Amino acid sequence: MIEETGEPMAAGPGRIAGAALCAVMLLAGCASGSGADAPTSHPTQDTTIAAEVGERFTLSVPENASTREHWSVVAPRPDASVVRTAGRRYESADDGKSVGGGGTLVLTFEATGAGSTGITLLHCTFPTAGAAACGGGASPSATPPPEPERRTYRVTVR
């Protein structure tokens, strides 16, 4: 800093300690938070969800794109006045160290208003990839592919 005289200010022990204290408080404030922003996590088998308006929650499902396995939100879509999609991310099982290692797809939602709705996920895998629901077309095989798994979550927002 420059004093009004145009001379640099001395960095005495009091100023250094004060600056260090400010930095620590700033970092602690950024890292702590109230926890209110952290979404509530729901595992795959947890198909009944209760939430408060404004609450964010996640659905976590195993996924491995290298084996043509993927999940997607399908019709009937959730009622947007009750729940909205707020994001998706993929968490590698081994921090991406191995090719084809699989991981977890985390879908984030936000409760937007009181009511009930459903969230339906479609689970496409290699054997079901040829099914129309998974984007497959006519199969050259006489045997149609198996239907993909559908998982419906019932969400009630208070």
Side-chain angles (χ1 to χ4, degrees), residues 7-136:
E7 297 293 319
M9 294 180 77
R15 286 194 187 277
I16 293 171
L21 179 61
C22 269
V24 167
M25 290 176 65
L26 180 64
L27 289 173
C30 289
S32 65
S34 66
D37 294 334
T40 305
S41 179
H42 294 276
T44 308
Q45 67 277 8
D46 191 359
T47 58
T48 303
I49 298 166
E52 299 289 329
V53 173
E55 181 181 343
R56 293 168 72 95
F57 61 91
T58 62
L59 301 176
S60 301
V61 290
E63 184 175 84
N64 188 342
S66 69
T67 62
R68 297 176 73 180
E69 175 186 28
H70 65 275
W71 292 83
S72 53
V73 178
V74 296
R77 300 265 182 203
D79 180 348
S81 68
V82 178
V83 170
R84 75 171 184 88
T85 303
R88 64 186 291 142
R89 73 178 186 281
Y90 181 78
E91 297 174 350
S92 177
D94 63 357
D95 296 325
K97 293 177 182 156
S98 64
V99 176
T104 303
L105 175 65
V106 181
L107 302 163
T108 303
F109 298 88
E110 182 175 351
T112 55
S116 291
T117 191
I119 299 171
T120 301
L121 300 182
L122 183 70
H123 184 207
C124 295
T125 60
F126 183 74
T128 65
C134 291

